[in-house]
């Protein structure tokens, strides 16, 4: 299906992107380039003035912070969850976002799935994400989930590697992140995968560019 004249928004300061994220929970960002994903998350985090909880499952963002390729932001608290401590971690975070506004970043679906190998892992992971998103909606915290993806033969976005489908919820926002020239493009997708809005962000000054 062809997209019919999607709204195009120039948003270098991420004002409209943040408004979009605040209206939906969770917000799922699909991307094919891990480094581009890290660039966008860094820019988003630097644009807000309230605390950030960063669940780093693929260890890319925290690796950049440790190597000082990304400047450490005092607003950000990084967790590096494992299968062993996940129940304790999610309980702690659920309590915290019930009492204070946060941006919560779950980076990424791919890394999340990789630490659980049981048959029920998909159901458990989705339940965990829906719990955090539900609390976020009630207490005004935004939940951002990233995923490294590719399209399958049917034109559907699936996790890469692995081939799992992305969770689908009417309450979630889904976006595809890509790079065109000197701009970062965030496409807002509807339930059938067509583009509704295009957010264009100049990323020439991003730390990792």
């Amino acid at each position: 299906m062809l997209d019919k004249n999607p709204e195009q928004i120039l948003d270098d300061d991420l004002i409209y992107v943040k408004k979009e994220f605040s209206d939906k929970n969770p917000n799922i960002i699909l991307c094919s380039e891990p480094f581009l994903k890290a660039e966008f998350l860094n820019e988003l985090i630097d644009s807000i003035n309230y605390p950030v909880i960063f669940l780093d499952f693929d260890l890319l963002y925290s690796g950049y912070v440790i190597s000082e390729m990304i400047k450490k932001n005092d607003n950000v608290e990084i967790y590096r969850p494992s299968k062993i401590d996940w129940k304790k971690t999610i309980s702690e975070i659920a309590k915290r976002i019930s009492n204070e506004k946060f941006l919560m970043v779950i980076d990424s679906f791919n890394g999340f799935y990789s630490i659980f190998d049981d048959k029920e892992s998909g159901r458990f992971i989705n339940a965990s994400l829906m719990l955090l998103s539900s609390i976020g909606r009630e207490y005004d915290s935004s939940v951002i989930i990233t995923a490294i993806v590719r399209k399958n033969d049917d034109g559907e976005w699936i996790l890469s590697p692995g081939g799992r489908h992305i969770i689908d919820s009417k309450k979630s926002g889904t976006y595809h992140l890509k790079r065109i020239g000197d701009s970062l493009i965030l496409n807002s997708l509807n339930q059938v995968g067509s583009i509704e809005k295009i957010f264009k962000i100049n990323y020439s000054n991003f730390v990792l560019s």
Side-chain angles (χ1 to χ4, degrees):
M1 180 181 294
L2 295 176
D3 305 314
K4 297 181 179 179
N5 301 318
E7 181 182 2
Q8 300 191 39
I9 303 168
L10 182 62
D11 195 20
D12 287 349
D13 297 322
L14 300 181
I15 293 171
Y16 299 103
V17 167
K18 287 184 289 186
K19 174 64 169 59
E20 180 93 358
F21 287 168
S22 69
D23 290 339
K24 301 176 182 178
N25 245 342
N27 293 282
I28 303 169
I29 300 175
L30 312 177
C31 186
S32 301
E33 302 178 50
F35 302 110
L36 185 61
K37 168 176 66 74
E39 286 179 333
F40 175 76
L41 291 176
N42 185 52
E43 189 75 359
L44 176 64
I45 288 168
D46 284 347
S47 72
I48 66 171
N49 56 11
Y50 51 89
V52 178
I53 292 175
F54 199 111
L55 300 178
D56 192 358
F57 287 98
D58 62 19
L59 308 183
L60 184 64
Y61 181 86
S62 58
Y64 280 137
V65 172
I66 292 170
S67 66
E68 299 184 347
M69 292 180 66
I70 288 179
K71 183 179 179 181
K72 187 178 185 302
N73 187 317
D74 291 336
N75 278 343
V76 182
E77 184 172 353
I78 300 175
Y79 289 79
R80 302 171 81 174
S82 69
K83 183 177 181 178
I84 296 173
D85 65 13
W86 174 241
K87 289 184 178 179
K88 179 181 178 181
T89 300
I90 191 175
S91 177
E92 177 184 334
I93 291 172
K95 291 177 182 177
R96 294 184 65 187
I97 65 176
S98 298
N99 293 290
E100 185 179 356
K101 180 178 180 178
F102 283 91
L103 169 65
M104 185 164 57
V105 179
I106 299 171
D107 186 32
S108 61
F109 259 134
N110 313 69
F112 202 163
Y113 277 114
S114 71
I115 67 172
F116 293 98
D117 54 10
D118 301 324
K119 292 181 179 179
E120 296 299 311
S121 62
R123 185 178 301 174
F124 172 67
I125 289 170
N126 288 349
S128 299
L129 297 178
M130 290 302 100
L131 170 64
L132 295 176
S133 299
S134 177
I135 297 172
R137 283 192 293 270
E138 185 171 353
Y139 294 96
D140 199 29
S141 290
S142 295
V143 178
I144 308 294
I145 308 169
T146 67
I148 298 299
V149 297
R150 62 179 175 83
K151 280 192 173 181
N152 63 14
D153 293 339
D154 295 323
E156 301 170 311
W157 291 111
I158 57 175
L159 295 184
S160 177
R164 289 179 180 266
H165 283 78
I166 310 298
I167 60 170
D168 186 20
S169 169
K170 292 181 179 179
K171 294 181 180 179
S172 66
T174 304
Y175 309 86
H176 180 241
L177 180 67
K178 63 181 181 179
R179 185 195 324 253
I180 297 181
D182 288 334
S183 296
L184 179 153
I185 304 296
L186 186 70
N187 292 325
S188 174
L189 309 177
N190 61 22
Q191 291 292 312
V192 296
S194 296
I195 299 173
E196 290 188 325
K197 297 177 185 177
I198 300 173
F199 299 94
K200 183 178 180 181
I201 307 155
N202 187 308
Y203 75 97
S204 59
N205 295 319
F206 279 22
V207 174
L208 302 179
S209 299

